[in-house]
mmCIF file of all heavy atoms in Angstrom:
data_model
loop_
_atom_site.group_PDB
_atom_site.id
_atom_site.type_symbol
_atom_site.label_atom_id
_atom_site.label_comp_id
_atom_site.label_asym_id
_atom_site.label_seq_id
_atom_site.Cartn_x
_atom_site.Cartn_y
_atom_site.Cartn_z
ATOM 1 N N THR A 58 4.741 -27.830 -2.444
ATOM 2 C CA THR A 58 5.574 -27.356 -3.559
ATOM 3 C C THR A 58 5.494 -25.851 -3.763
ATOM 4 O O THR A 58 6.327 -25.272 -4.466
ATOM 5 C CB THR A 58 5.164 -28.052 -4.873
ATOM 6 O OG1 THR A 58 3.780 -27.774 -5.144
ATOM 7 C CG2 THR A 58 5.355 -29.556 -4.781
ATOM 8 N N MET A 59 4.489 -25.199 -3.158
ATOM 9 C CA MET A 59 4.376 -23.750 -3.298
ATOM 10 C C MET A 59 5.634 -23.044 -2.805
ATOM 11 O O MET A 59 5.974 -21.962 -3.273
ATOM 12 C CB MET A 59 3.179 -23.229 -2.495
ATOM 13 C CG MET A 59 1.829 -23.606 -3.034
ATOM 14 S SD MET A 59 0.557 -22.878 -1.964
ATOM 15 C CE MET A 59 -0.930 -23.461 -2.782
ATOM 16 N N LEU A 60 6.302 -23.642 -1.829
ATOM 17 C CA LEU A 60 7.482 -23.026 -1.232
ATOM 18 C C LEU A 60 8.677 -23.967 -1.369
ATOM 19 O O LEU A 60 9.411 -24.218 -0.413
ATOM 20 C CB LEU A 60 7.211 -22.708 0.245
ATOM 21 C CG LEU A 60 6.048 -21.740 0.503
ATOM 22 C CD1 LEU A 60 5.702 -21.682 1.985
ATOM 23 C CD2 LEU A 60 6.378 -20.341 -0.009
ATOM 24 N N ASP A 61 8.870 -24.484 -2.586
ATOM 25 C CA ASP A 61 9.942 -25.454 -2.815
ATOM 26 C C ASP A 61 11.308 -24.816 -3.008
ATOM 27 O O ASP A 61 12.310 -25.498 -3.140
ATOM 28 C CB ASP A 61 9.604 -26.344 -4.018
ATOM 29 C CG ASP A 61 9.663 -25.580 -5.349
ATOM 30 O OD1 ASP A 61 9.639 -24.326 -5.314
ATOM 31 O OD2 ASP A 61 9.703 -26.239 -6.400
ATOM 32 N N GLY A 62 11.359 -23.476 -3.025
ATOM 33 C CA GLY A 62 12.634 -22.808 -3.222
ATOM 34 C C GLY A 62 13.155 -22.920 -4.634
ATOM 35 O O GLY A 62 14.334 -22.702 -4.890
ATOM 36 N N GLY A 63 12.254 -23.241 -5.568
ATOM 37 C CA GLY A 63 12.666 -23.415 -6.950
ATOM 38 C C GLY A 63 11.659 -22.880 -7.930
ATOM 39 O O GLY A 63 10.980 -21.879 -7.672
ATOM 40 N N ASP A 64 11.528 -23.580 -9.060
ATOM 41 C CA ASP A 64 10.689 -23.097 -10.147
ATOM 42 C C ASP A 64 9.220 -22.939 -9.765
ATOM 43 O O ASP A 64 8.555 -21.995 -10.228
ATOM 44 C CB ASP A 64 10.790 -24.051 -11.344
ATOM 45 C CG ASP A 64 12.162 -24.004 -11.998
ATOM 46 O OD1 ASP A 64 12.873 -23.004 -11.783
ATOM 47 O OD2 ASP A 64 12.517 -24.958 -12.712
ATOM 48 N N ILE A 65 8.703 -23.853 -8.944
ATOM 49 C CA ILE A 65 7.284 -23.770 -8.597
ATOM 50 C C ILE A 65 7.023 -22.579 -7.675
ATOM 51 O O ILE A 65 6.029 -21.861 -7.833
ATOM 52 C CB ILE A 65 6.794 -25.085 -7.958
ATOM 53 C CG1 ILE A 65 6.962 -26.237 -8.954
ATOM 54 C CG2 ILE A 65 5.332 -24.960 -7.526
ATOM 55 C CD1 ILE A 65 6.541 -27.581 -8.439
ATOM 56 N N GLN A 66 7.928 -22.324 -6.737
ATOM 57 C CA GLN A 66 7.769 -21.152 -5.874
ATOM 58 C C GLN A 66 7.883 -19.865 -6.686
ATOM 59 O O GLN A 66 7.173 -18.889 -6.419
ATOM 60 C CB GLN A 66 8.807 -21.152 -4.752
ATOM 61 C CG GLN A 66 8.608 -19.993 -3.760
ATOM 62 C CD GLN A 66 9.449 -20.130 -2.508
ATOM 63 O OE1 GLN A 66 9.974 -21.191 -2.222
ATOM 64 N NE2 GLN A 66 9.573 -19.044 -1.764
ATOM 65 N N ILE A 67 8.758 -19.864 -7.669
ATOM 66 C CA ILE A 67 8.885 -18.703 -8.550
ATOM 67 C C ILE A 67 7.545 -18.415 -9.226
ATOM 68 O O ILE A 67 7.094 -17.274 -9.314
ATOM 69 C CB ILE A 67 9.982 -18.931 -9.608
ATOM 70 C CG1 ILE A 67 11.359 -18.883 -8.951
ATOM 71 C CG2 ILE A 67 9.897 -17.874 -10.722
ATOM 72 C CD1 ILE A 67 12.502 -19.219 -9.888
ATOM 73 N N ALA A 68 6.894 -19.498 -9.708
ATOM 74 C CA ALA A 68 5.607 -19.331 -10.386
ATOM 75 C C ALA A 68 4.546 -18.802 -9.433
ATOM 76 O O ALA A 68 3.747 -17.929 -9.800
ATOM 77 C CB ALA A 68 5.150 -20.667 -10.976
ATOM 78 N N TRP A 69 4.527 -19.292 -8.204
ATOM 79 C CA TRP A 69 3.532 -18.837 -7.233
ATOM 80 C C TRP A 69 3.777 -17.402 -6.798
ATOM 81 O O TRP A 69 2.848 -16.651 -6.527
ATOM 82 C CB TRP A 69 3.516 -19.749 -6.005
ATOM 83 C CG TRP A 69 2.750 -21.013 -6.202
ATOM 84 C CD1 TRP A 69 3.231 -22.255 -6.474
ATOM 85 C CD2 TRP A 69 1.319 -21.169 -6.137
ATOM 86 N NE1 TRP A 69 2.212 -23.170 -6.594
ATOM 87 C CE2 TRP A 69 1.027 -22.530 -6.389
ATOM 88 C CE3 TRP A 69 0.267 -20.294 -5.902
ATOM 89 C CZ2 TRP A 69 -0.275 -23.035 -6.417
ATOM 90 C CZ3 TRP A 69 -1.034 -20.802 -5.918
ATOM 91 C CH2 TRP A 69 -1.293 -22.148 -6.171
ATOM 92 N N GLN A 70 5.041 -16.988 -6.714
ATOM 93 C CA GLN A 70 5.352 -15.626 -6.272
ATOM 94 C C GLN A 70 5.309 -14.600 -7.406
ATOM 95 O O GLN A 70 4.797 -13.496 -7.221
ATOM 96 C CB GLN A 70 6.742 -15.595 -5.615
ATOM 97 C CG GLN A 70 6.770 -16.190 -4.228
ATOM 98 C CD GLN A 70 8.060 -15.937 -3.474
ATOM 99 O OE1 GLN A 70 8.318 -16.558 -2.462
ATOM 100 N NE2 GLN A 70 8.883 -15.023 -3.940
ATOM 101 N N TYR A 71 5.861 -14.961 -8.543
ATOM 102 C CA TYR A 71 6.024 -13.971 -9.607
ATOM 103 C C TYR A 71 5.211 -14.259 -10.861
ATOM 104 O O TYR A 71 5.009 -13.367 -11.684
ATOM 105 C CB TYR A 71 7.503 -13.861 -9.983
ATOM 106 C CG TYR A 71 8.401 -13.542 -8.818
ATOM 107 C CD1 TYR A 71 9.385 -14.439 -8.405
ATOM 108 C CD2 TYR A 71 8.265 -12.349 -8.115
ATOM 109 C CE1 TYR A 71 10.211 -14.161 -7.326
ATOM 110 C CE2 TYR A 71 9.088 -12.053 -7.041
ATOM 111 C CZ TYR A 71 10.060 -12.961 -6.646
ATOM 112 O OH TYR A 71 10.862 -12.678 -5.577
ATOM 113 N N GLY A 72 4.760 -15.494 -11.029
ATOM 114 C CA GLY A 72 4.027 -15.852 -12.238
ATOM 115 C C GLY A 72 4.933 -16.517 -13.253
ATOM 116 O O GLY A 72 6.019 -17.012 -12.926
ATOM 117 N N ILE A 125 1.540 -15.472 -4.064
ATOM 118 C CA ILE A 125 2.256 -15.274 -2.803
ATOM 119 C C ILE A 125 3.068 -13.987 -2.868
ATOM 120 O O ILE A 125 3.877 -13.799 -3.781
ATOM 121 C CB ILE A 125 3.196 -16.459 -2.507
ATOM 122 C CG1 ILE A 125 2.391 -17.766 -2.388
ATOM 123 C CG2 ILE A 125 3.998 -16.217 -1.226
ATOM 124 C CD1 ILE A 125 3.254 -19.006 -2.242
ATOM 125 N N ALA A 130 6.089 -14.247 2.241
ATOM 126 C CA ALA A 130 6.368 -15.674 2.097
ATOM 127 C C ALA A 130 7.037 -16.208 3.367
ATOM 128 O O ALA A 130 7.919 -15.564 3.933
ATOM 129 C CB ALA A 130 7.265 -15.914 0.887
ATOM 130 N N ILE A 131 6.607 -17.393 3.808
ATOM 131 C CA ILE A 131 7.143 -17.952 5.054
ATOM 132 C C ILE A 131 8.357 -18.841 4.800
ATOM 133 O O ILE A 131 8.898 -19.441 5.725
ATOM 134 C CB ILE A 131 6.064 -18.751 5.816
ATOM 135 C CG1 ILE A 131 5.557 -19.911 4.941
ATOM 136 C CG2 ILE A 131 4.927 -17.839 6.232
ATOM 137 C CD1 ILE A 131 4.574 -20.825 5.676
ATOM 138 N N ALA A 132 8.783 -18.948 3.548
ATOM 139 C CA ALA A 132 9.975 -19.737 3.215
ATOM 140 C C ALA A 132 10.779 -19.002 2.155
ATOM 141 O O ALA A 132 10.225 -18.344 1.281
ATOM 142 C CB ALA A 132 9.579 -21.125 2.717
ATOM 143 N N THR A 133 12.090 -19.115 2.250
ATOM 144 C CA THR A 133 12.973 -18.467 1.285
ATOM 145 C C THR A 133 13.367 -19.456 0.185
ATOM 146 O O THR A 133 12.931 -20.605 0.182
ATOM 147 C CB THR A 133 14.249 -17.965 1.981
ATOM 148 O OG1 THR A 133 14.999 -19.104 2.445
ATOM 149 C CG2 THR A 133 13.898 -17.084 3.170
ATOM 150 N N PHE A 134 14.231 -19.018 -0.704
ATOM 151 C CA PHE A 134 14.704 -19.889 -1.774
ATOM 152 C C PHE A 134 15.944 -20.681 -1.365
ATOM 153 O O PHE A 134 16.530 -21.384 -2.178
ATOM 154 C CB PHE A 134 15.011 -19.058 -3.025
ATOM 155 C CG PHE A 134 13.782 -18.671 -3.793
ATOM 156 C CD1 PHE A 134 12.965 -17.634 -3.361
ATOM 157 C CD2 PHE A 134 13.417 -19.358 -4.936
ATOM 158 C CE1 PHE A 134 11.822 -17.285 -4.066
ATOM 159 C CE2 PHE A 134 12.270 -19.015 -5.652
ATOM 160 C CZ PHE A 134 11.472 -17.976 -5.209
ATOM 161 N N GLY A 135 16.337 -20.552 -0.106
ATOM 162 C CA GLY A 135 17.479 -21.309 0.378
ATOM 163 C C GLY A 135 18.737 -20.953 -0.385
ATOM 164 O O GLY A 135 19.095 -19.787 -0.537
ATOM 165 N N ASP A 139 16.782 -16.370 -5.952
ATOM 166 C CA ASP A 139 15.457 -15.758 -6.056
ATOM 167 C C ASP A 139 15.552 -14.697 -7.149
ATOM 168 O O ASP A 139 16.223 -13.679 -6.964
ATOM 169 C CB ASP A 139 15.075 -15.126 -4.721
ATOM 170 C CG ASP A 139 13.737 -14.399 -4.766
ATOM 171 O OD1 ASP A 139 13.140 -14.332 -5.861
ATOM 172 O OD2 ASP A 139 13.298 -13.896 -3.716
#
Side-chain angles (χ1 to χ4, degrees):
T58 59
M59 290 181 180
L60 300 170
D61 70 343
D64 291 340
I65 299 179
Q66 184 169 345
I67 288 175
W69 280 100
Q70 285 191 194
Y71 304 117
I125 299 174
I131 60 175
T133 66
F134 282 78
D139 177 356

